[in-house]
Structure formats: structure tokens, C-alpha cells
Amino acid sequence: MIGNVILVDIALFAILLAAALGIAHTRSLYSAAMLAGLFSLTCASLFVVQDAVDVAFTEAAVGAGMSTVLFLGTLALTHSRERVTPPTRRVPALLVAVGTGVLLIYASLDLPPYADPANPVQQHPLTERYLQTSQQEIGVPNVVTAVLASYRGFDTLGEVAVIFTAGVAVLMLLGRLRGNAAGSPGTAPAGGLQGEHRVLRVVAKLLMPFILLFALYVQFHGDFGPGGGFQAGVIFAAGIVLYTLVFGLGHARAVVTPGILRMLLPLGLLLYAGVGVATLLLGGAFLDYNALSPQDPVQGQHLGILLVEAGVGITVAAAMILLFYAFAGRGARS
Amino acid sequence: MWLALALAVLTTMALALARALLGPTLYDRILAINLFGTKTVLFIAVAGFMAGRPEFLDIALVYALINFIGTVAVLKLSHYGEFSRAEELQGDDL
Amino acid sequence: MTVVLVASWALITAGAVLALTGALGLFRLPDFYTRTHAASITDSAGASLLLLGLLLQAESFAVGIRLLLIMLFLLFTSPTAAHALAQAALKDGLKPVLGRAARR
Amino acid sequence: MIASGYNYWMAMALLIVGLYILMSHANMVKKLLGLSVFQMAVFMLYISLGKVRFGTAPILDSSITVYSHPLPHVLILTAIVVGIATTALGLALVVRIHEAYGTTDEDEALALDRKPDAP
């Protein structure tokens, strides 16, 4: 059994290493960006093999849906070829990298053996709490969701705040469109794929409702299977990205207007923090969902997780769509 | 049995990666990466069965839906900028 | 039960062989357009057969419906992507390799 | 017993490649790509630490007794989404630098700065 996993692990790692070296070697930045997409696909496969299904889910949605698109969008706005890297840059970098590697390998000798059930992590009382007691305390089968939204809810609030801040910062940098550059459909580059890509447009139209529906399913099914607000937000945004790519920025902005998105971006964060304030007012600690339903704490936990995950989903989706609009909008102007 | 299947799918992925690295044109790379994505969907499905918990097919499902976006993005963004010039494609060295 | 299992593994094997052939074709064929054949045709057939094989081993409705949906989406997206790519390449002026040059 | 750390070493090897890309290349988009490789390597290291032999995903089911540790999953899940948000910020900066200097190359931009009539 463990032998199987080693073989699969090593095969995946070989693919990852080849892709990473390919990124280092190629001078065409388009190729490098696409290889990075491939790299993240393989990483997600590795996460599945290592039991981290929720992480794989997030990586799948982010790596395939958003990250590649943002890199390609940037390249479309800038240069897509790289200069030849001179040896004066290569040699010191190689030395530092190899030195770091040696130090890391040396440090890894002190790490506990891989996947050993006797590891300190597995023996820690917190593991017992998460995997056993959480069923009585929270009653959500997906422990990752329980830890994310409830036990470590305060941490997650901080993460959502970071996403919000990054979204605002990108909007400040790339700003809104000036004048009439909003991209009437058909004008490259902000326009859609016209004429020649009829098949693509029909299939994209067919796929769109499924992507959005699937995002909602992921949002609300996160208690029972892999999924939750982060994944759902990114998948929803990916659906809108597909629509924008195929039908043009003008059409997309008419359907999902930036004004609404700019309201939703802080709204999700406020919803999250608002749940915390509500629990404070009801006499509990900040983000202590038991206070939401004192007679039946598990019910309170369920309500709290639902609201908090909704907040996460709203902010992440709004942030991702706004990020993409910002890059696509720059293309329309220049 | 499952292991053999997983390794077969991984071999397919490795061959696709080889084509993605070799090129020679950017279209070859896009094609190879598209194939790689489909094979990742299969690998995740197989890995779910291999681990005895096939209910995690949601991840494969999200790939099947979203892998398409990457290809569309390359096609869309290739229609302006330096990318669409034929000599750029032909002369793309690795 | 065993009949289903044998049928399932037969389908899975066929799918895996097709997928491998497709990847080999992608690796060996001379130019982009021929590679599109190898990638898209064997890819959609290989993936569908493999997923059908898995479907026969699905224990619950939830697993089965997901496998069916994956198959459906792959059947839609994979040929579309190949078609759009080939069309874009042709528009871009990428010439197919013809005649003797193709028989390297 | 030495081989018991193979998974950590794989993550570390990728980390080194990421670090090398980040330091050696002057192109800022390439730097960000290297940064994301580096980031993924760190994520892999974390996930490796939570894995248990014969364990399975921490989604509870009455028929299963051994689960991998959920805590690294939680940390990395949020880190991935934060990672893409910060990468997007970096890319936005690259776009602005390109608008101001006409290049995405670090060395060229710095050379322009050193000239007396810098933009």
C-alpha cells in the first residue's frame, strides 16, 4: 500500500520538477505561464494523493481558472519575451539556491519521518479534539470546514481581510476605465471572440450555467464534502472570466457590473465580522457561534459556519472578478 | 491494478508534458497542456478510487469544467500583442 | 457482479491504452495538425471509456452522477478546445507539414 | 530510515528551483512565476507534514478510523487564495512599471532610473 503511494508520489514529483525546470529555461513567457498552470494542476493531483482534498480543490480552481488567466492578461499588456539571462545573474543565484538546498536538507533530518502515525503532530491532543470532539461540538463531517470556519475562525477572518486589501490595492493601481474605453463588443482586445470562434461561443454558453451552479453547490456542500466559500468564490469568478473572455468585457460588465462588485467586496468581509459582533452582543466571545443559539449550540455552529462561509464566498468572488476586470480593462485602454 | 492504471495515466501526462516542453510552436504547447488537463481529471478520478473514497470526484469535476478556461484564455489573449505573429510562433525556441 | 467487474476493467484498459496511444501520437507525429488528431480523438474516446469503466464500479448514485457529468463536460470541452486551437493556428498562418517532410 | 523524508526532499527541491528562478531572472513576470513555484513548494511541505500512512481525507465517515491531520489543510487552503490575490497585486505593479518604464526587466528599469534624465 505504502509502496504504491511512493511510486505515484515520485512520478508526480518528476513531472513537477520537469515543469519547474521548463519554467526556468524557456524564454517565451507565454510558455512559462502555461507551464505554471500545468505545474499547479500537478500540485493539485499530489494534494489529492496526500489526502488534502480541500486544498486540491482550491488549487484546482485557482491554478486552472484564475492564476493562468491573470498571468496571460499581464503578458498581453507587457512583453512576452524575456532577455537572455546573463551568467552574472545566474551563477550567484545558483550558488545561493544550492546553499539553501543544503541547509534545508540538513534541517530535514530533524523532521519526523514522513506519514508516521507516531509523529508528534498526530499525537497532539488537538488532533483528537479536531477529529473526534468536533462531531459533538460542531457536527460537521468535513473537519477542514469546521476548523476553518469555527475553531480558527479568527484566522480566516484575517485571510479574508488580506484578500479584500489586495483587491482594493489592485483596483487602486489599475484603476477604472477612462472615457468610452469600456469596450464595445467586437473591438479587440476587450471585445469577445467574434465570428470565427462560433463553436467556442456556443459551448461556452452551454458551460456557463453549470459552472455557476457548481459554484453554488460547492458553497453549500462544503460542510459534507470538499468545498466551502474560498473554492466557491473562485469557481464563480472563473465562470464570469469565461464569459468575459468569450463575449467581451462590455457584455460581462453589463451583466455583473463593477459597481455591484465594489459593494459586494466589503460586504462579505462585513458579514463575516458582523457575525463576530453579533456573537459578542449575544454574550459570547468574538466568533463564538454557540452564542447564536444558546439552547442548541450545534445549531448555532451550523448557522455561524453558513453565514461566515457565505461572507468568504462573496468577498473572494467579488475580489477575483474585480481583479480580472482590472487587467482586462487595462487592455481595453492601451 | 489501480496502481497500474494510475501509472498509465501518469505516463500519458508525462508524454504530454514532454510535448509541452519541446514545442516547437506555441500551439503545440497549448494542445499538450490541454491534454494534460484532461489526463489530470482522469488521474484524480482514479486516485479517488485507489484511495477507496471516490466521493471526492468533485475535484475532477471542477477540472473538467475549468480546464477549458485556460485554453480559451490563451486563444483570446493571443489575438493581440506579440503572440499572434507567425514568425514569433515558428521561431519560438526553448 | 464479477461480469460487471470484468467489463469494467476491460473498458478501463481500453481507455488507458487509447489515452497512452494518444499521448504517444502527440509525442511522435510530425506537426501540429496531426498532433491535434492524436490528442483530441483518442483523448475524448480514451477518457470516456475509462470513465465508463469507473462508472461500472461506482457504489453510489452520488459517485455515478459525478462520473457521468465529468464525461459529459469532457466530451463537450475537449473537442471544442481542439477545434478552436486548430482554427486559430490556421488563421495565424501555421502551415501543415505535407509530403515527404511529414515522413520523418 | 533515511528515505523516510523523501517527500520533504521533493518539496525542497522544488523550493530551490523556485528560489533560483526568483533570483536569477531579471524579468519581473518570470520572478512572479518563480515565486509561485516557491510558494507551491512550501504548501507541499506543509501538506506532507499532515499526511498519515493509511490515512484518508479528513471528511469523517463512520466506516473510517484513520484521518490525515486537517490543520495544514486549513492553513494552506486559505494561503492559496491569499497567494493568488497577492500575486495579482504583484502583476498589477508589473503592469504599472511597464507603463512607466516601457520594460518589465528589472535591470533595464534600474538603468533608466540611474540616468540623470530619468522619467
Side-chain angles (χ1 to χ4, degrees):
Chain A
M1 177 66 197
I2 191 74
N4 297 358
V5 178
I6 288 182
L7 271 178
V8 172
D9 275 358
I10 289 178
L12 281 172
F13 168 70
I15 292 176
L16 283 174
L17 194 65
L21 291 175
I23 294 172
H25 188 254
T26 181
R27 276 175 51 224
S28 158
L29 291 172
Y30 274 110
S31 303
M34 288 189 291
L35 281 174
L38 189 150
F39 183 86
S40 82
L41 281 177
T42 320
C43 266
S45 309
L46 194 71
F47 291 151
V48 172
V49 175
Q50 295 186 348
D51 301 340
V53 281
D54 273 282
V55 181
F57 210 144
T58 319
E59 183 56 33
V62 167
M66 289 306 300
S67 161
T68 316
V69 173
L70 287 180
F71 270 106
L72 290 173
T74 307
L75 289 179
L77 294 175
T78 59
H79 292 301
S80 68
R81 293 293 290 185
E82 195 188 359
R83 279 191 315 135
V84 179
T85 307
T88 48
R89 284 194 81 98
R90 277 173 197 250
V91 176
L94 195 64
L95 286 178
V96 174
V98 169
T100 314
V102 170
L103 283 177
L104 279 173
I105 300 273
Y106 177 63
S108 80
L109 298 179
D110 285 342
L111 279 175
Y114 173 61
D116 192 345
N119 280 352
V121 193
Q122 311 298 344
Q123 298 301 322
H124 198 274
L126 202 58
T127 312
E128 174 79 14
R129 173 83 182 264
Y130 284 159
L131 290 175
Q132 309 295 332
T133 324
S134 75
Q135 288 316 289
Q136 286 87 55
E137 285 179 343
I138 295 175
V140 169
N142 186 351
V143 184
V144 174
T145 302
V147 177
L148 179 90
S150 186
Y151 289 122
R152 294 186 63 87
F154 198 45
D155 179 29
T156 310
L157 177 64
E159 309 270 15
V160 177
V162 173
I163 293 165
F164 168 78
T165 316
V168 171
V170 171
L171 283 184
M172 283 166 71
L173 280 170
L174 295 184
R176 63 177 68 192
L177 294 169
R178 280 195 219 110
N180 58 356
S184 58
T187 55
L193 291 162
Q194 294 296 316
E196 73 267 43
H197 285 301
R198 194 168 290 128
V199 177
L200 205 60
R201 285 167 65 201
V202 170
V203 171
K205 207 181 271 183
L206 205 72
L207 227 50
M208 269 290 293
F210 285 105
I211 297 181
L212 298 186
L213 192 65
F214 189 65
L216 289 178
Y217 161 78
V218 170
Q219 171 82 46
F220 294 113
H221 192 256
D223 295 2
F224 307 101
F230 284 98
Q231 293 94 327
V234 178
I235 295 171
F236 194 88
I240 305 296
V241 167
L242 179 65
Y243 187 83
T244 313
L245 286 171
V246 176
F247 297 98
L249 188 60
H251 278 299
R253 289 164 71 103
V255 178
V256 187
T257 62
I260 288 180
L261 289 174
R262 270 189 224 114
M263 290 207 311
L264 287 177
L265 184 64
L267 187 74
L269 186 59
L270 284 175
L271 178 60
Y272 199 141
V275 172
V277 174
T279 55
L280 272 183
L281 292 178
L282 288 169
F286 190 69
L287 290 173
D288 173 14
Y289 310 136
N290 286 353
L292 292 174
S293 166
Q295 314 86 317
D296 186 0
V298 174
Q299 204 58 42
Q301 290 286 346
H302 281 201
L303 181 63
I305 290 178
L306 182 76
L307 289 173
V308 160
E309 289 275 13
V312 172
I314 291 171
T315 293
V316 171
M320 293 295 149
I321 300 172
L322 278 174
L323 286 181
F324 178 68
Y325 277 2
F327 280 91
R330 271 282 148 165
R333 194 198 308 187
S334 57
Chain B
M1 205 63 170
W2 287 115
L3 177 68
L5 180 57
L7 288 179
V9 177
L10 281 170
T11 315
T12 318
M13 286 160 77
L15 283 169
L17 174 68
R19 179 45 75 199
L21 288 174
L22 288 176
T25 69
L26 268 164
Y27 286 107
D28 286 300
R29 294 177 209 275
I30 305 170
L31 185 71
I33 285 167
N34 194 41
L35 182 79
F36 193 93
T38 337
K39 290 302 172 285
T40 312
V41 173
L42 294 185
F43 176 78
I44 292 175
V46 171
F49 274 86
M50 192 161 82
R53 300 198 75 179
E55 58 266 44
F56 302 143
L57 280 170
D58 284 348
I59 303 162
L61 192 55
V62 81
Y63 268 161
L65 281 169
I66 284 185
N67 184 33
F68 187 55
I69 296 178
T71 312
V72 177
V74 182
L75 281 177
K76 170 70 202 300
L77 297 170
S78 74
H79 274 249
Y80 57 103
E82 302 155 49
F83 181 76
S84 58
R85 285 209 310 269
E87 65 270 18
E88 171 80 11
L89 291 167
Q90 306 288 352
D92 182 56
D93 58 330
L94 181 79
Chain C
M1 192 59 213
T2 42
V3 180
V4 176
L5 210 61
V6 168
S8 151
W9 277 106
L11 281 172
I12 290 177
T13 315
V17 168
L18 270 181
L20 266 175
T21 329
L24 261 181
L26 188 74
F27 194 64
R28 295 273 304 154
L29 287 172
D31 79 331
F32 169 73
Y33 296 100
T34 46
R35 283 177 203 140
T36 315
H37 276 275
S40 69
I41 296 176
T42 47
D43 189 36
S44 38
S48 316
L49 284 178
L50 213 156
L51 289 171
L52 264 182
L54 290 180
L55 184 65
L56 289 181
Q57 292 195 30
E59 283 146 11
S60 62
F61 174 74
V63 175
I65 192 77
R66 283 184 177 81
L67 282 171
L68 273 178
L69 280 176
I70 294 172
M71 203 160 83
L72 189 74
F73 291 140
L74 281 186
L75 274 178
F76 271 112
T77 56
S78 187
T80 311
H83 162 83
L85 261 177
Q87 201 178 30
L90 197 66
K91 265 225 152 73
D92 248 7
L94 188 68
K95 293 273 184 301
V97 179
L98 297 171
R100 268 181 198 286
R103 257 176 257 130
R104 264 186 295 165
Chain D
M1 209 55 209
I2 295 285
S4 63
Y6 76 97
N7 230 304
Y8 307 136
W9 297 343
M10 300 200 301
M12 285 166 185
L14 288 176
L15 190 129
I16 293 164
V17 176
L19 188 65
Y20 170 73
I21 300 174
L22 187 61
M23 287 191 304
S24 68
H25 289 264
N27 187 296
M28 284 177 281
V29 178
K30 195 67 167 277
K31 269 184 195 293
L32 283 171
L33 284 171
L35 191 64
S36 56
V37 169
F38 186 94
Q39 187 174 288
M40 290 311 301
V42 175
F43 295 166
M44 279 169 62
L45 188 67
Y46 265 75
I47 298 295
S48 305
L49 289 171
K51 167 80 180 160
V52 189
R53 199 173 304 147
F54 307 120
T56 177
I59 295 175
L60 303 184
D61 193 288
S62 51
S63 61
I64 296 166
T65 49
V66 187
Y67 299 99
S68 288
H69 202 282
L71 189 56
H73 301 187
V74 174
L75 299 179
I76 298 313
L77 191 159
T78 52
I80 288 175
V81 184
V82 169
I84 178 68
T86 47
T87 304
L89 182 58
L91 288 172
L93 284 170
V94 171
V95 169
R96 287 303 294 263
I97 290 172
H98 181 261
E99 283 175 7
Y101 290 89
T103 176
T104 54
D105 192 287
E106 186 185 54
D107 292 341
E108 284 172 13
L110 285 174
L112 279 175
D113 260 352
R114 274 188 222 101
K115 275 190 205 159
D117 56 338

